[in-house]
Structures are given as C-alpha cells and as structure tokens.
Amino acid sequence: WASAGLLAYIATSKYADGLPLYRQSGILNRFDIDLDRTVLANWMIRMGQLVQPLINRIEEQLLSAPYIHMDETPVQILKEPGKSAESQSYMWVRCAGPPNQRVILFDYDPSRSGSVPTRLLADYQGALMVDGYEGYSAVCQHPDIIRLGCWVHARRKFVEAVKAQGKGKKNTKAEYAIKLIGKLYAIERHLDDQRSEYDDEAFVRYRYNYRLEQAQPILAKLKKWLDDTRPTVAPKTALGKALHYLEHQWPRLIRYQDNGHYPIDNNPVENAIRPFAIGRKAWMFSTSVQGAKASANLYSLVETAKANGLEPYAYLKDIFTQMPNITSYDDVDKLLPQKCK
C-alpha cells in the first residue's frame, strides 16, 4: 500500500523532473526500501486511471476555449499490439487558455494521421493554432474550425536559411524577413506588457484594434516583399524553402489578427511538450499502451498545475488523497487547478 504522498513523489519525480522509475527504484533501495520498478509502474498506471474523471473535466474546459494550440511528439511503446518495439507512436498535446489559466492535455495514439486531431477535436468550434503539418488539414476542413498559422515556424525557416550561408556570409533577403517578423513580435511584447492594465474582455478588444493599426502595415510590407522575392530564388535552396513555406502558410499566418483572442504562434504547446521531450531522453520508452495512457494523464496534470502556478507535488498529493472519495461532479470540479490554492 502506498500513501498519497509517496505516489505524488514518484509521479512528480518522473513526470516533472524526468527521473525514470528504474532510477527511483535504485534510489529507494539505497535506503533499504525494496520497491521494484514494476511495482512503481503499476502504481502510476493505477493513478493515471484514477484521475480520469478530472482529465475529462479538464478536456471539457479545453474544448470550450475560443482557440486551441496543438502539436504532436513521438513516443516509443515496447509492447504495442500490431507494432514492432522500434516503431513510433505519438503523444498529441492540446493547450488552451490565457496565461495562469491554461489547461494542457496529453493524449496517446499509435498514429500520426489526420484521424487523431479529428477525433480529439470532434464537435469543437473555434480556432486551431498548429504548425504546417498537413495532418491537421482534415479537421480544419470543418466550417466551425479556423486554422491559425505559427509565426515561430515561419521565422525558423529563415533562420535556417541564414545558417545555411555559413559563417561570415550574409543572407540579406532572409535577414530582411527575420527583421519584419521581429517587428510583429515587438507588437506582441508591447501587448503583453499592457495586459495587466485591462480586464480580459477589454484587453481582447485592445489587442484586436492595436494589431489592426500596427501589424497590418508590416504584414502588407512582408507580403509585397514575398511576392517580389519568390520568383527570383531557386526553390530548392534553404531560402527558397523558407519562401515557399511562408507563401503556402500565408492565409493561415495572417488569421491571428482577425480576433483579439488569437495567439501569434504555437509556443505555449511547444513549451508544454519540452519537459516530456527531456524526460523521454531518460526513460526512453513506455512498456505498454496502458503505461503510455497513464503517462498522458499524469503529464497533463503536472503541466496544467505548473501553468497555473501550482507546485506539482502538492497538487498531485491533494488529488491522490481526494480522488478515491469523490462522489459527485462538484467534487471533481473542486480539484481543477484553477480552483486549487
């Protein structure tokens, strides 16, 4: 039998600090505590199942948001039906909400196909911020979903073009694009600095109007430069690829100015994925599909807690203490990160 505190400590060590279960088992053994990795793994699977009602409630919050960030990252499952141990599966990550009120959800799926976002966003109405991966095209064909393009990805292509020139050489065309995109981000930094001066709805209106005034002229200048430059650059060069990406994504990239709610890039979900990617280098794989699904739920709680300013261990301990005794929808609601102090 494990206490809520011990379970929270093990979960925090793995999902927040990236410490694999076999290492935790070794650490505990040094203190004459005999807990095999398999025991710890089974505990985490049980905890992942226990918190499912809370995950369902968080998903309801996420799907009611005006926009959702989404991305995917590989995960390896050793014992996955119908697949070899070396094959890749995926963690799909959705993120929504303003800073300090954010919800983050990880979902395991064996596939990277467009059927996954279609399943995860069934009946969603709002905007979807994603990168250029065309696996999102199917779900974005729905008339109730607006696809937003990520300016970080667009800028990254031009940074790669600069690097491709080699040290000591300049790529003035790529640098010009980076400079204009930098001006768009200067506008966003100004808006972030002003956020505390307004309530939520007033800030949305202010951001919408300020972008129209300040960002539209920059976007028009960048589009003219793109139209003039694209025919003069070989398409297979690094700069040519950057220009192609910018042109192909342009209708999606400029949609962020249509609504003061919308973000300019997909950074929030990329930041949420980063701890998972760091931890993956240490634990390398999940043994089973059950383990991957449990990890998805526990990563969701840890990252959502962090995004809402909560200390992950204290939050998980509170959840693991109370979840076995919940009897109503209201009991689950009280455990949401936004409701906890």
Side-chain angles (χ1 to χ4, degrees):
W1 294 97
S3 69
L6 176 58
L7 294 168
Y9 177 80
I10 294 166
T12 304
S13 295
K14 179 174 181 180
Y15 301 110
D17 301 329
L19 191 62
L21 296 181
Y22 78 89
R23 291 187 191 170
Q24 293 193 55
S25 177
I27 292 168
L28 292 168
N29 275 323
R30 291 206 300 267
F31 295 94
D32 295 326
I33 302 171
D34 184 15
L35 285 172
D36 185 79
R37 178 203 169 279
T38 304
V39 173
L40 303 184
N42 287 335
W43 284 353
M44 292 302 98
I45 289 172
R46 289 293 304 277
M47 291 302 101
Q49 295 167 343
L50 180 72
V51 300
Q52 189 62 52
L54 183 56
I55 295 296
N56 295 343
R57 182 68 182 97
I58 291 174
E59 184 172 41
E60 289 176 10
Q61 285 188 320
L62 181 135
L63 293 174
S64 68
Y67 65 89
I68 292 175
H69 298 268
M70 195 167 183
D71 203 355
E72 76 290 335
T73 189
V75 62
Q76 185 180 358
I77 313 296
L78 287 188
K79 299 176 182 178
E80 187 166 17
K83 298 182 73 173
S84 67
E86 296 77 19
S87 61
Q88 284 188 342
S89 295
Y90 291 88
M91 281 291 185
W92 292 77
V93 187
R94 291 169 293 168
C95 172
N100 299 320
Q101 298 177 38
R102 194 155 282 159
V103 293
I104 298 164
L105 279 180
F106 286 69
D107 284 272
Y108 155 80
D109 198 279
S111 170
R112 198 191 178 211
S113 75
S115 64
V116 183
T118 299
R119 171 177 62 83
L120 293 176
L121 298 172
D123 301 323
Y124 176 65
Q125 298 179 9
L128 180 63
M129 166 59 77
V130 290
D131 58 26
Y133 174 50
E134 289 306 320
Y136 296 104
S137 295
V139 70
C140 290
Q141 295 301 315
H142 195 284
D144 291 328
I145 293 182
I146 296 168
R147 181 167 182 172
L148 306 177
C150 174
W151 276 101
V152 160
H153 282 81
R155 180 184 182 277
R156 196 173 292 160
K157 302 291 184 182
F158 289 101
V159 171
E160 291 169 359
V162 170
K163 291 179 179 178
Q165 287 294 105
K167 291 184 178 180
K169 296 182 180 180
K170 288 190 174 183
N171 189 326
T172 54
K173 291 179 179 178
E175 290 171 352
Y176 182 75
I178 293 170
K179 179 181 178 181
L180 288 182
I181 295 171
K183 290 184 178 181
L184 296 177
Y185 273 91
I187 292 168
E188 297 304 305
R189 287 193 295 272
H190 168 79
L191 289 168
D192 288 342
D193 290 342
Q194 298 299 309
R195 181 183 288 272
S196 61
E197 303 295 322
Y198 300 86
D199 63 40
D200 289 345
E201 288 306 312
F203 178 73
V204 167
R205 291 192 297 271
Y206 171 68
R207 181 157 68 173
Y208 171 75
N209 291 322
Y210 193 83
R211 282 172 170 172
L212 288 182
E213 178 185 336
Q214 300 294 325
Q216 272 199 350
I218 299 170
L219 290 167
K221 191 174 183 179
L222 183 57
K223 184 62 166 66
K224 183 179 185 308
W225 172 86
L226 172 63
D227 292 341
D228 292 342
T229 306
R230 178 80 198 281
T232 68
V233 178
K236 292 187 178 180
T237 63
L239 179 58
K241 292 176 181 177
L243 290 165
H244 171 76
Y245 185 90
L246 183 61
E247 183 179 61
H248 180 65
Q249 293 292 316
W250 187 262
R252 303 163 181 172
L253 288 166
I254 61 175
R255 294 300 297 268
Y256 82 98
Q257 63 181 330
D258 292 351
N259 189 310
H261 283 289
Y262 295 166
I264 191 173
D265 59 39
N266 213 21
N267 268 356
V269 75
E270 290 197 357
N271 291 337
I273 284 176
R274 192 167 293 115
F276 175 88
I278 292 171
R280 183 178 55 204
K281 291 179 180 179
W283 47 257
M284 298 179 65
F285 55 82
S286 288
T287 302
S288 66
V289 170
Q290 272 190 320
K293 290 181 176 179
S295 291
N297 281 357
L298 295 172
Y299 268 114
S300 298
L301 294 181
V302 165
E303 290 305 314
T304 301
K306 288 161 58 179
N308 285 270
L310 300 178
E311 198 285 305
Y313 168 77
Y315 180 56
L316 290 180
K317 183 180 178 182
D318 192 38
I319 290 173
F320 294 165
T321 300
Q322 297 191 52
M323 282 300 294
N325 302 314
I326 62 171
T327 58
S328 69
Y329 188 87
D330 288 340
D331 289 342
V332 176
D333 228 36
K334 291 175 184 177
L335 296 179
L336 290 168
Q338 299 87 348
K339 303 287 183 71
C340 292
K341 295 182 179 178

